Amino acid sequence: MKSKYDKIQQIISNMKQPDYRYLQITNAIFRVRTGEFKSMSILPVKLRNALIDELGNSICCISPALQKKSDQVGKVLFSIPGGERIETVRLSYKRGWESFCISSQCGCGFGCRFCATGTIGLKRNLTVDEITDQLLYFHLNGHTLSSVSFMGMGEPLANPDLFDALKVLTDNNLFALSRRRITISTIGALPGIYRLTQDFPKINLTFSLHSPFNEQRSKLMPVNDLFPLQEVMKALDNHIRRTGRKVYIAYIMLQGINDSAAHAEAVAGLLRGRGEWEHLYQVDLIPFNPTGKTPPGYRQTDRTKINRFKNILRSKGINVTIRMQFGSEIGAGCGQLYGCQGD
Ligand code: SF4
């Protein structure tokens, strides 16, 4: 039994209550936005009490410890059971679109050299409820969950509970999120990529490349020794062939490290000649966000060089965009999340 929604079904069944009670409860949470069992007056008192005894009164098992806001970005630091902290970022766009960047692990054990989250090490995987409650919190507070990306703390495909969380997020009685509005971002965890292709082919996939050169990529991202770049590229080719969906290649631009013309040529070389569907690769260039926790030596590439990199890729026929940068001023940008109140 992975999620609180499974447990609710079990409680209903143990008490020999009719099945429709489950729909009454999920309607109360997801349509009426009721955040406490004791407010579900539609339920018999004994069922309400049993739910509270088993699960606690609050539907959400994580609580906000600190919130920061800038123009279009909000960052919430949540306390999770065990006294740890995780972070979730909300981006608001004009016309009411709201996008959420959620965490899948507390800390991260992969140790990418430029990443603030990686400096913490892995504390633990988040449970299904801890992953989905980051969104439930916003839903209960009246927000619209337009799109969700797993780009917060941790490597989502290293957490086996991720797939149960995706079931909860896409369940029509629960969050009912369209698969096309969910993005998984990975550093190349091969078993997880294979499973995603198989079980959730419509979910968007982003691969963090950051260097086209094996030796350098291994230095920047030690996971490259475990799951080598060429093997990951084959898995991504397979994903595109099987799903017909775009794969996004994330490339954080690091001053003087991976932003040269030779790097751009090599990225183009990596993505050309892969097959008739190679146009479904899309490169996103991401300006780097330094933090107080980033190891020295990693700085942001200037805009002229980012444009030069983009132009080289474009001249080779590669689809490429420069990702807009939000939230770096409140420590909510890519690679800036590390669960600390001070940043
Ligand atoms: S970039 Fe992702 S996988 Fe690498 S250390 Fe940071 S959170 Fe972990």
Side-chain angles (χ1 to χ4, degrees), residues 108 110-112 115 117-118 154-155 187:
C108 180
F110 285 98
C112 303
C115 172
T117 311
E155 160 58 44
I187 50 171

Short mmCIF file of all heavy atoms in Angstrom, two decimals, residues 108 110-112 115 117-118 154-155 187, ligand 1:
data_model
loop_
_atom_site.label_atom_id
_atom_site.label_comp_id
_atom_site.label_asym_id
_atom_site.label_seq_id
_atom_site.Cartn_x
_atom_site.Cartn_y
_atom_site.Cartn_z
N CYS A 108 20.37 14.55 -2.60
CA CYS A 108 20.62 13.73 -3.78
C CYS A 108 22.00 13.12 -3.66
O CYS A 108 22.95 13.77 -3.22
CB CYS A 108 20.55 14.58 -5.05
SG CYS A 108 20.85 13.61 -6.54
N PHE A 110 23.86 11.79 -6.19
CA PHE A 110 24.61 11.67 -7.43
C PHE A 110 25.78 12.63 -7.56
O PHE A 110 26.64 12.44 -8.41
CB PHE A 110 23.66 11.77 -8.64
CG PHE A 110 22.86 10.52 -8.82
CD1 PHE A 110 21.57 10.42 -8.35
CD2 PHE A 110 23.43 9.40 -9.42
CE1 PHE A 110 20.83 9.25 -8.50
CE2 PHE A 110 22.71 8.22 -9.57
CZ PHE A 110 21.41 8.15 -9.11
N GLY A 111 25.78 13.67 -6.74
CA GLY A 111 26.97 14.51 -6.63
C GLY A 111 27.43 15.21 -7.89
O GLY A 111 28.64 15.32 -8.13
N CYS A 112 26.49 15.68 -8.72
CA CYS A 112 26.91 16.50 -9.86
C CYS A 112 27.64 17.72 -9.30
O CYS A 112 27.17 18.35 -8.35
CB CYS A 112 25.70 16.91 -10.70
SG CYS A 112 24.76 15.49 -11.29
N CYS A 115 26.02 21.33 -8.64
CA CYS A 115 24.64 21.39 -8.15
C CYS A 115 24.57 21.56 -6.64
O CYS A 115 25.23 20.82 -5.89
CB CYS A 115 23.93 20.10 -8.56
SG CYS A 115 22.30 19.93 -7.83
N THR A 117 22.00 21.00 -4.66
CA THR A 117 21.33 19.87 -4.00
C THR A 117 22.34 18.73 -3.77
O THR A 117 22.30 18.06 -2.73
CB THR A 117 20.16 19.33 -4.88
OG1 THR A 117 19.35 20.44 -5.27
CG2 THR A 117 19.33 18.33 -4.12
N GLY A 118 23.22 18.54 -4.74
CA GLY A 118 24.20 17.45 -4.66
C GLY A 118 25.16 17.60 -3.48
O GLY A 118 25.73 16.61 -3.02
N GLY A 154 16.71 16.14 -6.14
CA GLY A 154 16.82 14.70 -6.36
C GLY A 154 16.71 14.27 -7.81
O GLY A 154 16.36 15.04 -8.70
N GLU A 155 17.06 13.00 -8.02
CA GLU A 155 16.95 12.36 -9.34
C GLU A 155 15.68 11.50 -9.30
O GLU A 155 15.65 10.46 -8.63
CB GLU A 155 18.21 11.51 -9.59
CG GLU A 155 18.07 10.42 -10.65
CD GLU A 155 17.65 10.94 -12.03
OE1 GLU A 155 18.20 11.96 -12.50
OE2 GLU A 155 16.76 10.31 -12.63
N ILE A 187 19.25 12.56 -15.08
CA ILE A 187 20.64 12.65 -15.50
C ILE A 187 21.04 11.42 -16.33
O ILE A 187 22.19 11.28 -16.72
CB ILE A 187 21.59 12.80 -14.30
CG1 ILE A 187 21.30 11.73 -13.24
CG2 ILE A 187 21.49 14.20 -13.71
CD1 ILE A 187 22.32 11.67 -12.13
S1 SF4 B 1 21.83 17.78 -10.81
FE1 SF4 B 1 20.14 16.43 -10.17
S2 SF4 B 1 21.10 14.39 -10.07
FE2 SF4 B 1 22.80 15.86 -10.10
S3 SF4 B 1 23.28 16.20 -7.91
FE3 SF4 B 1 21.80 17.79 -8.56
S4 SF4 B 1 19.79 16.97 -7.99
FE4 SF4 B 1 21.25 15.24 -8.02
#
